[in-house]
Amino acid sequence: MAQIIDGKQISSQIRDELKEKVEQYRQEGIRFSLAVIQVGADPASTVYVRNKRNACAYIGIESSAYELPEETTEEELLNLIHTLNDDPNVNGILVQLPVPPQIREHVVVQAIAKEKDVDGFHMANVGALSMGQPGFVSCTPAGIIQLLKRSGISIEGKECVVIGRSNIVGKPMAMLLLRENGTVTVCHSRTKNLRDVTKRADILVAAVGRPKMIDDSYVKEGAVVIDVGIHRMENGKLCGDVDYEKVAPVASAITPVPGGVGPMTVTMLMNNCVEAGLMASKEKRP
Ligand code: NAD
């Protein structure tokens, strides 16, 4: 039976490390802060925002929330972002996505100052990742690298297959695995003979957005399987993109849903906030 990669435990370990770091820096007069903007009252977004603010409170990062009405215009949102960009007391800015249809998501994301873009979605940060330069990395794939490393799974020289090519998961995941010297293949909805490709994987990352699509017929015996998907089933329980019951017996290690990749996303956001605070404090020094 596969090793279960415990995202809850690894996440709480990293949060405790960050809490200690923040406390040490606080004694040197360095403070950390995140501004979270939510437009509209989508219930899922409200839960995500609450989770992020709770994590900030635990670690010692100050957080401020901006709850804007559903009918907010793009200009109004951009004005707020510009104000926060110019505010030296704000290190990190996050706009909870999705935004209502009258607001263009890509315009909003690019308006956030790259040094405050703790989600790692700004083109400058995406470019930095692909060029191997320092910058903020999208939180979910960054969390997956931590899950692998902290579970003692090496990436170097491994066949890594990512299913999904979204800007926030699939593509940055591929870049990060490449940075760790994996041999990386990216699959997507137009990939032919998907199983032939996924069965080559030593490390298989499923970010497809389709409940339980990846069963044992996609997985090589002994592969490490990372499940990014998160879906609510009719019975109210959560499941991933991977059919856990079928895949766990053939995998050497696997992330469960819930309790795998999910908890790592907010934790890596916190990590980015701490990095942003440290960068800002260095800039302020003479
Ligand atoms: P997305 O819909 O933007 O991208 C899905 C990708 O899967 C696309 O690139 C598409 O080409 C590919 N795809 C779709 N059907 C396919 C098929 N039949 N065969 C091969 N490829 C196929 O989704 P996303 O934002 O990347 O998220 C993926 C999943 O991860 C979703 O379930 C989402 O809810 C979840 N997610 C979880 C977290 C977390 O913190 N755990 C964070 C982000 C996303």
Side-chain angles (χ1 to χ4, degrees):
M1 197 68 177
Q3 168 195 352
I4 295 165
I5 300 175
D6 188 344
K8 251 177 147 171
Q9 193 250 324
I10 295 173
S11 162
S12 83
Q13 190 184 19
I14 297 175
R15 287 188 197 198
D16 285 340
E17 290 167 12
L18 289 171
K19 187 181 166 82
E20 214 179 297
K21 207 167 165 181
V22 163
E23 182 51 38
Q24 279 170 8
Y25 282 114
R26 211 205 318 265
Q27 287 167 15
E28 294 175 28
I30 298 172
R31 41 189 292 283
F32 301 86
S33 65
L34 172 69
V36 184
I37 306 172
Q38 182 182 354
V39 188
D42 172 55
S45 290
T46 303
V47 172
Y48 292 138
V49 166
R50 193 189 315 133
N51 288 345
K52 289 168 188 178
R53 297 198 70 203
N54 286 344
C56 281
Y58 179 76
I59 290 166
I61 297 168
E62 294 161 27
S63 72
S64 46
Y66 296 83
E67 289 158 16
L68 307 183
E70 183 79 30
E71 60 276 11
T72 301
T73 64
E74 186 176 287
E75 194 186 356
E76 285 166 336
L77 178 56
L78 291 177
N79 284 340
L80 173 60
I81 292 173
H82 293 145
T83 306
L84 295 169
N85 281 345
D86 292 339
D87 185 344
N89 293 321
V90 173
N91 309 137
I93 304 171
L94 178 157
V95 178
Q96 184 64 46
L97 301 176
V99 283
Q102 73 275 16
I103 298 174
R104 289 168 298 172
E105 192 176 296
H106 72 278
V107 172
V108 168
V109 168
Q110 302 315 316
I112 297 172
K114 68 177 192 320
E115 55 283 352
K116 298 190 179 188
D117 166 43
V118 284
D119 260 337
F121 295 164
H122 192 287
M123 271 195 274
N125 284 317
V126 176
L129 173 62
S130 71
M131 303 282 286
Q133 296 295 319
F136 294 116
V137 176
S138 182
C139 301
T140 304
I144 291 170
I145 296 292
Q146 286 300 315
L147 285 179
L148 293 170
K149 286 189 170 174
R150 289 174 184 249
S151 305
I153 296 162
S154 82
I155 302 166
E156 182 158 333
K158 298 277 173 66
E159 286 280 351
C160 304
V161 175
V162 180
I163 321 173
R165 58 171 164 185
S166 71
N167 288 335
I168 62 166
V169 188
K171 282 186 208 157
M173 186 74 255
M175 297 309 303
L176 283 174
L177 291 165
L178 197 56
R179 191 164 88 178
E180 299 294 330
N181 300 315
T183 303
V184 183
T185 307
V186 182
C187 302
H188 46 78
S189 52
R190 312 268 177 94
T191 297
K192 294 206 170 70
N193 305 321
L194 183 61
R195 284 183 183 81
D196 292 348
V197 186
T198 59
K199 281 211 128 180
R200 292 207 307 259
D202 300 313
I203 298 174
L204 180 63
V205 180
V208 207
R210 291 173 186 263
K212 296 192 182 188
M213 175 181 144
I214 305 303
D215 62 18
D216 51 330
S217 68
Y218 290 83
V219 180
K220 178 172 82 174
E221 182 91 36
V224 172
V225 180
I226 305 292
D227 190 354
V228 185
I230 181 147
H231 312 275
R232 176 98 37 206
M233 294 185 289
E234 275 177 8
N235 63 9
K237 289 192 175 161
L238 293 176
C239 77
D241 291 344
V242 173
D243 188 331
Y244 186 90
E245 264 65 48
K246 288 187 178 157
V247 172
V250 297
S252 63
I254 187 167
T255 58
V257 177
V261 173
M264 295 300 289
T265 300
V266 175
T267 297
M268 297 316 286
L269 173 71
M270 298 298 109
N271 182 67
N272 284 352
C273 290
V274 173
E275 292 297 316
L278 288 178
M279 261 165 43
S281 75
K282 280 180 193 141
E283 273 165 25
K284 276 184 208 154
R285 278 183 203 154

